[in-house]
């Protein structure tokens, strides 16, 4: 039986019956709402709660996190983007969620050897690749089933830099642009001098729910409108979700020829 985890896009989570993944205030980026330690502990005293910490850390941010990490109570998992945090957190509770690089069972088995058995598998993989991973690893696998996919994260204020260069005074820190060559719409969000870019299409793997048994599914409501949120919460377990809302499952049917693997990533 697949388990579902929901990342909410507002603080009223009473209508969400699944386990929660809450973005930790000050240590995560690209979400619609952030939860402080007190808010997380209040919810974790009543239900299953995990936190996501997806900022890339520097020394000062690490020292800030060390001051609060032991104040978090009853946390099921810590979803981390900066793998170095696995050295100061309980490895049994760490879930690695490195964007784009956890894409094959050799990488996943390598992390398992290091004591890191919980991973978020890249959702730019085909359904065949996902099945292959599941068959060839004993790790605890997570997968973003519904999401506006993250294309890029930068620790630079890209929007403000552009506005400065163009002399623009009317500045939006959350905007949609159209990419010139592909005509795809992209969401750009700048938060505290950090910038994320998302695909404006809603990715969904629901069409292949029956093939993806064995994965824990993450439904990320961030960057969804109120109407999109309502539809998704009503139908996130339905194989025919696309009957209710327009979604994209391109990667599940089309293989990406080159992907950065762990060995290549470690060179940098």
């Amino acid at each position: 039986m697949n388990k579902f985890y929901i990342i909410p896009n507002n603080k009223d989570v009473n209508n969400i019956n699944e386990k929660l993944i809450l973005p930790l205030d000050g240590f995560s980026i690209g979400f619609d709402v952030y939860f402080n330690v007190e808010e997380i502990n209040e919810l974790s005293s009543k239900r299953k709660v995990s936190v996501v910490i997806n900022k890339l850390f520097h020394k000062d941010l690490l020292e800030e996190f060390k001051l609060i990490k032991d104040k978090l109570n009853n946390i099921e998992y810590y979803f981390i983007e900066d793998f170095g945090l696995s050295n100061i957190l309980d490895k049994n509770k760490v879930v690695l969620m490195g964007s784009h690089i956890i894409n094959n069972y050799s990488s996943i088995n390598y992390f398992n050897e290091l004591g890191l058995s919980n991973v978020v598998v890249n959702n730019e993989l085909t359904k065949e690749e996902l099945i292959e991973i599941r068959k060839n690893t004993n790790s605890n696998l997570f997968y973003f089933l519904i999401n506006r996919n993250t294309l890029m994260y930068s620790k630079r204020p890209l929007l403000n830099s552009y506005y400065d260069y163009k002399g623009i005074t009317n500045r939006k820190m959350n905007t949609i642009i159209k990419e010139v060559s592909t005509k795809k719409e992209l969401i750009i969000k700048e938060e505290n001098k950090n910038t994320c870019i998302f695909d404006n299409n809603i990715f969904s793997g629901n069409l292949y729910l029956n093939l993806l048994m064995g994965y824990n599914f993450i439904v990320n409501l961030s960057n969804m409108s109120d109407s999109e949120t309502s539809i998704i919460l009503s139908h996130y377990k339905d194989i025919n979700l696309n009957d209710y809302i327009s979604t994209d499952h391109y990667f599940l049917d089309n293989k990406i020829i080159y992907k950065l693997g762990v060995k290549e990533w470690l060179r940098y």
Side-chain angles (χ1 to χ4, degrees), residues 63-75:
E63 294 306 315
E64 289 179 34
F65 182 67
K66 286 180 178 178
L67 293 175
I68 67 132
K69 71 179 183 68
D70 293 329
K71 297 178 181 179
L72 291 164
N73 300 327
N74 305 316
I75 303 302

Side-chain angles (χ1 to χ4, degrees), residues 189-206:
K189 295 174 72 172
E190 184 183 317
E191 302 174 18
N192 300 318
K193 298 184 179 180
N194 292 247
T195 309
C196 291
I197 301 179
F198 306 92
D199 190 335
N200 197 32
N201 290 333
I202 299 175
F203 173 85
S204 166
N206 288 61

Side-chain angles (χ1 to χ4, degrees), residues 115-133:
L116 298 162
S117 60
N118 308 304
V119 299
V120 178
V121 179
N122 183 356
N123 70 343
E124 296 165 358
L125 300 174
T126 65
K127 56 187 179 298
E128 290 80 14
E129 289 172 314
L130 290 168
I131 293 169
E132 179 185 42
I133 286 171

Side-chain angles (χ1 to χ4, degrees), residues 83 101 107 110-111 114 260-268:
F83 293 1
I101 69 168
S107 298
Y110 171 71
F111 286 126
L114 299 178
L260 184 66
V262 168
K263 289 182 180 178
E264 292 85 357
W265 177 76
L266 289 175
R267 292 176 189 168
Y268 300 96

